Amino acid sequence: MNFKEINPSPRLLMCPGPVDADPRVLRAMSYHILGQFDPEFTALMTETMEMARQVFQTKNQQTYVVDTTSRGGLETVLTGAICPGDKVLIPAFGRFGYLLSEILERCGAEITLIEREWGTVFEPDEIEAELKKGGYKAVACIHGETSTSMMQPMEEIGKLCKKYDALLIVDTVATLGGVDIRVDEWGIDGCIAGTQKCISAPSGSALITYNDKISAIAHARKKVEKGIRTSSDVDGKLPGIPSNYLDMAQLEDYWSPRRLNHHTEATCMQYAVHEALRCILTEGLEERFARHSLNDKALCAGLEAMGLTIFGDRKNKMPVVTAINIPEGIDGPTLRGQMLNDFGIEVATSFGPLDGKIIRIGNMGYSSQKRNILLTLGALEAVLLQNHVKVPAGEGVAAALEVYKNA
């Protein structure tokens, strides 16, 4: 039997992840494989940790990569920091808040879920009202909720968590690398991101950072597996971490000078993350955030000039994801299908109560380029006109160009 050579069709990924990987990242992934304890490779790991600290804007020693997707990164931090019976407050304003609840319920945490209408975010006093009831070990929260395109302001929540002595654990999977995130300044104790969105590498690695408070919990739960433990390894007194692969305490040793032989590092993905972080820092954080913001303004101007309605609370819209209400005269699958099949551009639907009602357009990382914004607006206009949706021809691209001209 003959099998086809892999030859994927060219696509422009303008969905909320995955997005196009930076070509420099793809090139780095093709380099020679090194052994995981080769001095060249461990030096690269150390550099990756330092670059990640700069992108997270933190001084946390425990800042490293987990060989898993972003969901695995969430599980690493949540199941390491939260013990069975711990009370956790989860403010959910979209699909991924419920994911945090799902993960924590499985590890025996006591969950309080407060909910907001999709398309809005929480006010600080709503969260404080719950924290006042006392006994919370942590607040676990989404920063950028891609299912709704909303972004939860975090600084005030950080202050509240400090006031009520609760950990703050934040999912920045969709925002790190495209939005200004200040882990230390905002009082975030644990923070998680993926590589397939604004970081602009393939999916398959998670970036995590956490402070000494969480590290102390992990060490109190530590149990090094029998085949690699030494006489100095003493089991912690708190209940053990339920996962071996995502065991935060052992991963700390893996990334430390001890180099605990916990698992075999995903070499090519480590190259990818290193190069992606290097590209971010070479561009400059402020410059990168400004690029995403400008492209967001141009995209929104173009959509509105076409007469389309942007979904949700505009004040708290993510600059890296824009959701639009699907106009009358076309359905979501038709719109997305023609964008993909006729123009090679992928945009996304949503989930739950928004499935079939909105289309989500990503503006993330390497995909966040003037050219891509203009191509997406032009393709969207053509698809709508072909389906007899009344939009003013040429106005969308012209409005976006005006934003760029005046920038």
Side-chain angles (χ1 to χ4, degrees):
M1 181 181 290
N2 294 322
F3 297 99
K4 293 181 179 179
E5 179 183 0
I6 295 174
N7 186 25
S9 299
R11 301 290 193 218
L12 174 55
L13 298 180
M14 297 299 287
C15 49
V19 301
D20 292 332
D22 192 305
R24 292 169 291 182
V25 170
L26 298 177
R27 183 177 63 204
M29 294 181 75
S30 70
Y31 294 157
H32 294 295
I33 302 295
L34 292 171
Q36 66 185 48
F37 300 119
D38 185 312
E40 274 189 48
F41 192 75
T42 55
L44 181 148
M45 291 172 69
T46 300
E47 283 189 0
T48 298
M49 294 174 76
E50 181 51 38
M51 289 191 290
R53 289 186 191 102
Q54 293 182 40
V55 175
F56 276 117
Q57 299 187 65
T58 183
K59 294 181 180 178
N60 289 340
Q61 175 63 28
Q62 302 306 333
T63 304
Y64 53 85
V65 179
V66 186
D67 293 332
T68 180
T69 61
S70 49
R71 183 174 300 215
L74 291 169
E75 289 210 21
T76 301
V77 175
L78 291 171
T79 61
I82 305 301
C83 295
D86 284 346
K87 285 183 65 176
V88 181
L89 175 63
I90 300 177
F93 56 105
R95 173 195 170 183
F96 293 102
Y98 298 114
L99 172 61
L100 301 182
S101 177
E102 163 76 12
I103 292 170
L104 285 170
E105 285 172 358
R106 287 176 180 242
C107 63
E110 184 182 328
I111 305 300
T112 298
L113 192 69
I114 56 175
E115 299 171 275
R116 259 285 195 164
E117 180 184 358
W118 289 27
T120 66
V121 300
F122 286 88
E123 295 296 332
D125 58 359
E126 295 177 89
I127 294 172
E128 184 170 23
E130 283 297 327
L131 289 174
K132 279 181 178 178
K133 296 175 182 178
Y136 283 105
K137 173 71 170 291
V139 174
C141 190
I142 306 295
H143 182 228
E145 178 57 80
T146 54
S147 67
T148 68
S149 78
M150 295 295 103
M151 188 164 72
Q152 175 69 54
M154 296 307 309
E155 193 167 4
E156 292 304 314
I157 297 177
K159 292 175 183 177
L160 288 173
C161 287
K162 186 175 181 180
K163 178 179 177 181
Y164 291 95
D165 195 27
L167 298 171
L168 177 57
I169 299 172
V170 182
D171 171 337
T172 61
V173 169
T175 47
L176 188 75
V179 175
D180 192 6
I181 293 170
R182 305 186 178 197
V183 167
D184 289 355
E185 186 177 319
W186 293 353
I188 298 174
D189 297 285
C191 194
I192 305 98
T195 50
Q196 77 277 20
K197 298 182 187 281
C198 296
I199 301 297
S200 288
S203 177
S205 290
L207 289 158
I208 66 173
T209 185
Y210 53 92
N211 60 18
D212 290 343
K213 291 181 183 178
I214 290 181
S215 182
I217 296 169
H219 278 270
R221 306 180 71 185
K222 186 173 182 178
K223 182 179 180 181
V224 176
E225 60 186 85
K226 188 174 182 179
I228 56 176
R229 68 187 296 152
T230 66
S231 57
S232 63
D233 289 312
V234 179
D235 291 350
K237 295 181 180 179
L238 291 178
I241 295 171
S243 173
N244 174 282
Y245 184 64
L246 302 177
D247 185 328
M248 184 188 290
Q250 292 189 86
L251 287 169
E252 279 192 21
D253 278 351
Y254 182 76
W255 280 83
S256 77
R258 178 181 177 183
R259 303 295 177 194
L260 180 74
N261 195 348
H262 176 256
H263 69 283
T264 302
E265 183 65 17
T267 309
C268 291
M269 275 305 299
Q270 184 57 229
Y271 294 163
V273 176
H274 184 281
E275 182 63 10
L277 294 173
R278 190 193 69 80
C279 291
I280 291 171
L281 295 174
T282 298
E283 180 177 3
L285 293 180
E286 293 304 318
E287 290 81 3
R288 193 174 181 91
F289 304 150
R291 169 166 62 86
H292 283 83
S293 179
L294 174 61
N295 290 329
D296 176 60
K297 289 176 183 175
L299 174 62
C300 291
L303 294 169
E304 291 181 318
M306 279 193 273
L308 300 174
T309 305
I310 295 174
F311 172 79
D313 171 16
R314 287 295 298 275
K315 177 184 174 184
N316 292 298
K317 192 191 83 66
M318 301 167 67
V320 295
V321 181
T322 300
I324 57 170
N325 294 304
I326 298 173
E328 290 186 16
I330 191 171
D331 58 57
T334 298
L335 192 159
R336 292 174 59 234
Q338 291 186 11
M339 289 279 286
L340 184 67
N341 296 327
D342 294 336
F343 295 93
I345 299 174
E346 183 174 347
V347 295
T349 184
S350 189
F351 314 98
L354 296 180
D355 184 21
K357 296 181 179 179
I358 65 171
I359 289 295
R360 298 176 299 143
I361 302 171
N363 167 46
M364 293 177 158
Y366 189 76
S367 290
S368 179
Q369 299 181 33
K370 174 182 176 181
R371 169 181 175 273
N372 294 344
I373 297 297
L374 298 176
L375 287 172
T376 300
L377 287 169
L380 178 60
E381 177 193 288
V383 169
L384 293 175
L385 289 172
Q386 191 176 48
N387 286 274
H388 310 294
V389 177
K390 293 183 179 180
V391 294
E395 293 297 319
V397 171
L401 283 169
E402 191 68 18
V403 171
Y404 289 121
K405 177 183 176 182
N406 295 327

